[in-house]
Amino acid sequence: MKARLNIALLAAAIVCLILKGSSDQLNLEDSALPLALCLDLDQNDELHIYTSSPVFGKNIKKKTHEIDVKARALRQSRTMQNEQSPGFVQGRNVQVILIGRRMLQHKDWFRLTDIFFRDARNTITDRMIAVDGPVSEIIYLNLEDQPMIPSLLRGMVDTKSAVSETANTTAQELRRQFIDTGITPSMAEIKLKNKVILLTGTTLLHKNGTYAASLGPQETVLLSILQKKAKPGVSFSYLIPGQPKSGPFETDTLSFSAGKIKTKIKTSYRQGRFQFDINIKSAVTLSERLFPYDVYKNANALEQKVAEQMEGQFESLIAKIQQHHIDPIGLGLYARSYEHKQYKKVEDHWADELSDAKIKVSVDIKIGAMGPVK
Amino acid sequence: MVDQHNDVHNEEIPTELVKMITQLECVFSDTPDLIMRKLRIKQTGEQAVLTYLDGLTDKISINQDVLRPLLFEAGSGEAGGELMMTVGHIEPQLNWSQIKLSILQGSSVLFVDGRSEAYSLDTKGWPQRAIEDPQLEASLKGAHQGFVETGEQNIALIRRYIPNRELKLKRLTVGQRGQTTVSVLYLEDVVNPNLLKRLIERIQQIDVDVIINTGELTEFIEDSPFSIFPQLISTERPDAAASQILQGRCVIVVDRSPSVLVTPVSFMSFFQNVDDYSTRWPISTFLRLLRLFAFFTAAFLPGIYIAVISYHFEIIPLKLLLTLGESRGQVPFPPFVEAIFMEITLEMLREAGIRLPAPVGQTVGIVGGIVIGQAVVQAGLISNIMVIIVSFTAISSFILPNFDMVAAARLIRFMLMVLATLFGFVGLIIGLMIMIGHLIALKSLGVPYGSPFAPVRFTDWKDTLVRVPLWLMNKRPLSTTPIQIKRQGKSRVGEESE
């Protein structure tokens, strides 16, 4: 009797389930999946939303389908995108989000991205990339010798950020950087030059989202060291003063790759301003030495010279940051932890406060290995 | 169960031979293979008739051990004296029903004029298969003897492994017409008497015509007949059966069936194999994990495919997405239809492979290989990822050692495919939860099926996911609730102290 009742209940449940079915079913082949989403303003400051979706089919030569719509907001643009695409446009597989330079000249553009986070179907691990120039040039660039633009860009950001030469900022991370008072946003930067896409480094933004400055690859490495994000293996190259040059060759070059980098940041508040003492320690491996030098005996002198050069670089980077009133390093996080009272007072304009702070960088380099040749 | 000759059932045997012959002819009418040999016993000078069924008896034995001594050996010469025959087992019979049964079971019965008892002589000898390698449960290192269709032989095969007087045997008869002998083997000082009592009661309750093989018996004695999970293990390996008895389980031998049943068992028992104990323990541990993984793959993989394609394609990595989209773009069917088409093709091929005679069977393999592997993809009917998934599920289901558990996994696979179509991953998780809940609630002979995981019995874990070295398995599994828990002493204690 009990068994029969159970079976009846089970059958009823199954029938209900089937009747209910599921309304959000959408097969892969019935959807259009933009892999790149681009936001930009045209000459008349009108918002354009571009998407680039892959097209599946053996006989189709062009593998991507680009759509350009003028819209007020992202979700509102979807209807217009649907009009032009073979399937339902879905934001689930977006790999990269490109932001044009003209967008970055206006504040509060980040509010447009609300849909990424509010509609949970959308991915939030897409990489944010700032474009130095108009986005339309890049999205319509149909390169024959390269993979489609979205995979190309995603690949560039993922591999270069692995050696810290660009910022690997996901949409979620960017949102954190916008909301957290102790840090200002930064993201990868690309540029189109002679029909070649270049990953030029990192774009630094003000707290309100406007463009502040750009960092080159080497500067980005330094930034990531300060952020404690640098992985072992980042490479540096310096001209060592006092070493002979030979003709057109810069034979005073020394290159090395850093091992594990230890960054220590000491935070204090003295005489009405914040003070950060940053100490960077690393054991390095020489990878290139174009001048004769007895490293075995005189390692200390060489270490000293390299450290001086690095310190110089760090100082100019910090000067740049302070000059632009930004904090991509996230020093505000340290200030908040160690000098909470003082930080709370200046929280809302932390970047301005930082430009006034005293930041000292010291570098300790140890040559751990000099390579298999003498 | 109408017997036309009910009237003669319990009647006593008539003493006159002529009357007896007429009665025999009446009981066994239309039975031309019943042989009645009239003879005069030289030993006592009495008239007698020897009756047996041709084909069920051993002719050599009848000629040499019964007829020759009766016809030619001189004896006391007194009527009613002792009959000398060289048959091993002679049993005096007093009533008709017994006589009928022994004739039908292959004994020959000797009626002697003037005596009120007949003698049933053990001359059984029916067509028999030689003992061969087990067909379904091949083993690399185990014995190469499998069970045959004669219950006594099967019991003998098990006894060879456990020559112990505690190995007891309860013999029951099931089936009104079939009169199948069902024997329950167990170790009296190990097995829990309550379990044994429960099992015997269940077998005694069966009221059917005939039990043809162990599979039929299973349906009558298992705990949850509506479940898709097997609750008894059926094995055709004597070494496996013996090892189960030693773990405190009961083995049911059904006469005429080439496999025996083991009860009570748990879910994990279906992932164990005799070879596990003869290969090195890290390797058999690896194989255990592989089998569990294969079970879940066989059940879940097509469902996961459907869920991903229909609902959650955001989890596909970019490069796979491009290939998948490329190949899905050409398929005219929704993923469920695609998957069900391929899975049904696979099931049909498998079924065809079992039933077809070997020479034709090869054709199935070739046709199936071409259909599944090549043609459907080229014709654009099925995506190539689906082909990979079907092959992967097939391989996964092949490595499970127990056929009944594979069958369960196959059925679950189809249910999960429907759930995945309706609800995506949510459906799959609900399916998994229902399955786990069911496994926990299930019982085998009143013993929890989910043991040792639910209820948790840590001491039993050493023979589940990990198969620890044999010299550490000093206790019998608690899941069988044995009355003697200790299985062995510390064999390697000397070396450890060194």
Side-chain angles (χ1 to χ4, degrees):
Chain A
M1 193 58 211
K2 205 184 149 203
R4 270 201 200 149
L5 186 71
N6 283 344
I7 289 167
L9 282 175
L10 193 68
I14 288 170
V15 169
C16 292
L17 287 181
I18 292 169
L19 288 179
K20 165 77 177 65
S22 195
S23 46
D24 62 344
Q25 180 175 8
L26 178 67
N27 291 339
L28 172 64
E29 61 273 15
D30 300 329
S31 52
L33 301 171
L35 299 180
L37 179 72
C38 318
L39 303 171
D40 203 0
L41 298 175
D42 63 7
Q43 275 89 356
N44 308 324
D45 275 352
E46 280 182 294
L47 179 64
H48 281 251
I49 293 165
Y50 305 89
T51 56
S52 171
S53 322
V55 181
F56 303 123
K58 267 184 189 161
N59 303 324
I60 303 158
K61 274 210 176 139
K62 194 165 161 289
K63 292 286 182 194
T64 51
H65 178 216
E66 288 81 22
I67 298 174
D68 169 13
V69 295
K70 279 187 199 174
R72 291 196 313 278
L74 277 167
R75 176 48 52 90
Q76 184 242 344
S77 76
R78 186 186 273 186
T79 330
M80 288 181 258
Q81 287 164 353
N82 275 339
E83 284 167 5
Q84 297 181 41
S85 68
F88 293 109
V89 175
Q90 295 286 314
R92 308 191 204 171
N93 289 73
V94 177
Q95 303 292 312
V96 287
I97 293 174
L98 304 186
I99 311 289
R101 178 56 66 81
R102 279 186 79 92
M103 284 277 283
L104 296 181
Q105 282 158 3
H106 301 270
K107 56 179 187 175
D108 291 341
W109 62 269
F110 191 72
R111 290 194 195 166
L112 289 174
T113 62
D114 185 61
I115 186 173
F116 300 156
F117 312 104
R118 204 168 298 282
D119 181 354
R121 275 286 196 188
N122 287 322
T123 169
I124 46 170
T125 55
D126 30 16
R127 309 298 191 258
M128 302 294 296
I129 301 175
V131 181
D132 186 2
V135 161
S136 54
E137 277 179 12
I138 286 184
I139 204 74
Y140 286 112
L141 189 70
N142 198 17
L143 296 168
E144 281 187 354
D145 57 346
Q146 299 270 24
M148 53 174 84
I149 299 292
S151 0
L152 175 71
L153 293 178
R154 172 74 180 245
M156 278 174 124
V157 172
D158 284 357
T159 52
K160 302 304 173 298
S161 64
V163 288
S164 305
E165 285 175 6
T166 189
N168 191 350
T169 312
T170 60
Q172 190 181 24
E173 173 65 15
L174 191 70
R175 183 177 148 84
R176 184 182 79 82
Q177 294 176 355
F178 265 104
I179 291 172
D180 197 322
T181 50
I183 191 167
T184 58
S186 55
M187 55 176 149
E189 180 178 293
I190 56 167
K191 189 177 176 180
L192 189 72
K193 200 176 174 189
N194 300 331
K195 291 216 153 195
V196 177
I197 296 176
L198 301 174
L199 188 76
T200 50
T202 308
T203 294
L204 307 179
L205 303 179
H206 286 123
K207 196 78 207 171
N208 59 13
T210 53
Y211 174 80
S214 292
L215 297 182
Q218 184 94 41
E219 283 175 310
T220 310
V221 173
L222 298 174
L223 177 65
S224 63
I225 290 176
L226 293 176
Q227 288 171 331
K228 299 189 181 176
K229 278 185 192 163
K231 293 178 192 93
V234 291
S235 182
F236 297 92
S237 206
Y238 291 114
L239 300 175
I240 303 297
Q243 295 299 333
K245 275 191 191 182
S246 173
F249 307 114
E250 292 184 340
T251 50
D252 51 351
T253 303
L254 179 80
S255 308
F256 57 85
S257 54
K260 203 168 179 183
I261 303 169
K262 270 191 186 168
T263 309
K264 269 189 188 166
I265 300 178
K266 262 181 139 179
T267 314
S268 50
Y269 187 81
R270 273 176 213 161
Q271 288 138 19
R273 60 181 192 159
F274 282 94
Q275 185 176 333
F276 296 96
D277 296 300
I278 303 173
N279 178 252
I280 292 152
K281 263 189 196 168
S282 180
V284 303
T285 308
L286 293 191
S287 49
E288 198 176 35
R289 171 169 61 82
L290 302 186
F291 51 87
Y293 194 93
D294 192 349
V295 181
Y296 195 75
K297 279 185 183 156
N298 302 319
N300 278 351
L302 198 59
E303 286 163 1
Q304 205 67 40
K305 281 176 183 167
V306 170
E308 275 167 26
Q309 291 233 356
M310 274 185 100
E311 277 168 15
Q313 280 191 331
F314 275 118
E315 271 154 27
S316 61
L317 173 68
I318 284 165
K320 197 172 180 179
I321 287 171
Q322 288 186 316
Q323 181 203 331
H324 285 98
H325 291 243
I326 48 176
D327 180 14
I329 308 169
L331 289 175
L333 307 178
Y334 294 90
R336 184 164 62 201
S337 310
Y338 295 104
E339 296 292 340
H340 192 71
K341 246 187 215 163
Q342 297 301 330
Y343 176 78
K344 272 292 174 193
K345 287 182 201 161
V346 295
E347 191 179 31
D348 296 330
H349 50 95
W350 164 249
D352 300 332
E353 185 67 27
L354 184 74
S355 64
D356 206 32
K358 194 176 164 193
I359 305 174
K360 264 175 67 186
V361 179
S362 61
V363 178
D364 286 338
I365 290 287
K366 267 226 135 35
I367 294 174
M370 49 187 197
V373 291
K374 209 171 177 187
Chain B
M1 291 287 84
V2 184
D3 198 313
Q4 292 173 358
H5 306 284
N6 247 343
D7 50 334
V8 292
H9 243 182
N10 289 316
E11 264 181 38
E12 283 178 9
I13 305 163
T15 45
E16 293 126 66
L17 206 56
V18 192
K19 233 183 183 176
M20 201 143 54
I21 290 168
T22 43
Q23 212 162 62
L24 257 180
E25 276 168 349
C26 172
V27 172
F28 291 98
S29 60
D30 284 338
T31 315
D33 52 348
L34 185 81
I35 311 271
M36 284 185 266
R37 167 74 153 87
K38 287 169 198 141
L39 62 143
R40 185 178 164 277
I41 302 170
K42 195 182 176 189
Q43 294 165 15
T44 56
E46 288 162 306
Q47 290 290 327
V49 64
L50 182 71
T51 320
Y52 57 91
L53 275 171
D54 197 16
L56 279 182
T57 41
D58 182 5
K59 287 218 174 67
I60 298 170
S61 171
I62 288 181
N63 289 343
Q64 299 208 337
D65 305 331
V66 182
L67 290 178
R68 187 183 294 255
L70 288 180
L71 288 172
F72 302 118
E73 301 260 329
S76 58
E78 294 167 23
E82 200 186 336
L83 298 171
M84 281 182 285
M85 283 169 280
T86 48
V87 183
H89 187 76
I90 302 175
E91 203 179 336
Q93 302 280 12
L94 291 169
N95 62 41
W96 268 108
S97 60
Q98 291 276 317
I99 289 168
K100 223 173 63 178
L101 191 64
S102 29
I103 290 178
L104 285 171
Q105 286 181 342
S107 299
S108 44
V109 176
L110 182 72
F111 299 95
V112 184
D113 190 26
R115 296 195 188 191
S116 59
E117 58 179 14
Y119 304 94
S120 127
L121 315 172
D122 182 15
T123 53
K124 288 173 190 169
W126 45 79
Q128 236 182 40
R129 186 165 64 100
I131 289 174
E132 288 166 359
D133 235 341
Q135 299 244 314
L136 295 177
E137 294 166 74
S139 151
L140 290 174
K141 294 192 174 178
H144 292 280
Q145 286 184 324
F147 286 127
V148 289
E149 282 78 2
T150 310
E152 274 92 50
Q153 289 232 26
N154 293 348
I155 293 168
L157 283 171
I158 294 174
R159 268 201 203 276
R160 289 254 302 135
Y161 285 96
I162 315 173
N164 186 301
R165 67 185 167 80
E166 296 291 349
L167 178 69
K168 303 283 165 151
L169 202 153
K170 280 252 174 0
R171 184 162 279 172
L172 306 155
T173 309
V174 175
Q176 302 265 3
R177 238 180 245 283
Q179 297 286 340
T180 313
T181 313
V182 173
S183 319
V184 179
L185 274 80
Y186 58 94
L187 280 176
E188 193 168 38
D189 57 346
V190 174
V191 84
N192 187 324
N194 293 331
L195 285 186
L196 184 69
K197 201 174 135 225
R198 200 175 293 150
L199 177 62
I200 298 215
E201 274 169 10
R202 281 187 197 174
I203 296 176
Q204 279 168 342
Q205 274 176 13
I206 303 173
D207 179 17
V208 286
D209 249 11
V210 64
I211 291 282
I212 297 284
N213 61 30
T214 44
E216 291 187 9
L217 186 71
T218 309
E219 291 216 1
F220 287 102
I221 60 173
E222 65 192 351
D223 295 57
S224 306
F226 293 106
S227 172
I228 54 173
F229 287 102
Q231 295 143 52
L232 289 93
I233 288 184
S234 139
T235 176
E236 53 176 5
R237 300 192 59 87
D239 44 1
S243 112
Q244 299 282 18
I245 291 177
L246 288 167
Q247 288 176 42
R249 301 195 167 97
C250 303
V251 161
I252 307 164
V253 179
V254 177
D255 192 20
R256 306 163 205 167
S257 177
S259 55
V260 303
L261 292 174
V262 180
T263 187
V265 291
S266 68
F267 182 67
M268 278 310 294
S269 313
F270 291 88
F271 297 88
Q272 296 166 349
N273 182 290
V274 256
D275 270 351
D276 285 1
Y277 304 98
S278 41
T279 37
R280 306 195 58 74
W281 71 268
I283 293 153
S284 48
T285 300
F286 168 68
L287 291 175
R288 287 272 169 86
L289 297 174
L290 199 68
R291 283 177 204 141
L292 263 183
F293 171 72
F295 174 79
F296 285 99
T297 310
F300 279 83
L301 195 61
I304 291 176
Y305 171 80
I306 294 175
V308 168
I309 297 286
S310 300
Y311 291 92
H312 315 283
F313 39 80
E314 58 269 22
I315 66 164
I316 312 174
L318 176 62
K319 276 166 191 151
L320 183 61
L321 181 82
L322 296 180
T323 1
L324 204 58
E326 190 81 48
S327 108
R328 273 295 303 163
Q330 296 165 29
V331 179
F333 308 115
F336 177 70
V337 177
E338 183 192 17
I340 210 107
F341 175 75
M342 282 309 269
E343 292 297 336
I344 286 182
T345 313
L346 171 71
E347 295 301 322
M348 288 198 292
L349 280 172
R350 180 208 290 261
E351 200 59 22
I354 298 171
R355 307 289 162 227
L356 274 177
V360 197
Q362 290 185 347
T363 335
V364 178
I366 294 164
V367 171
I370 293 170
V371 167
I372 290 199
Q374 278 280 310
V376 281
V377 176
Q378 278 179 0
L381 285 175
I382 301 294
S383 68
N384 40 23
I385 305 286
M386 187 67 227
V387 173
I388 295 169
I389 285 178
V390 167
S391 336
F392 203 69
T393 36
I395 294 168
S396 302
S397 62
F398 291 150
I399 77 161
L400 293 180
N402 188 287
F403 184 79
D404 293 321
M405 195 43 99
V406 176
R410 283 153 70 186
L411 214 57
I412 293 170
R413 181 194 307 159
F414 285 99
M415 296 176 187
L416 288 175
M417 278 159 72
V418 174
L419 277 174
T421 314
L422 291 175
F423 306 106
F425 275 148
V426 178
L428 285 182
I429 295 300
I430 290 173
L432 180 68
M433 282 163 63
I434 293 176
M435 187 178 103
I436 290 175
H438 177 63
L439 283 176
I440 291 173
L442 210 56
K443 285 186 171 180
S444 171
L445 203 64
V447 166
Y449 194 67
S451 174
F453 299 113
V456 180
R457 288 174 174 138
F458 281 115
T459 42
D460 279 10
W461 282 30
K462 49 189 153 190
D463 195 16
T464 50
L465 303 178
V466 175
R467 200 280 278 169
V468 302
L470 287 176
W471 42 272
L472 287 176
M473 281 194 233
N474 292 337
K475 287 177 182 168
R476 299 180 210 277
L478 294 177
S479 60
T480 60
T481 58
I483 50 173
Q484 184 195 65
I485 285 174
K486 191 181 170 215
R487 167 150 60 179
Q488 61 193 21
K490 287 182 179 162
S491 307
R492 294 188 68 115
V493 72
E495 280 167 53
E496 274 167 27
S497 60
E498 271 169 24

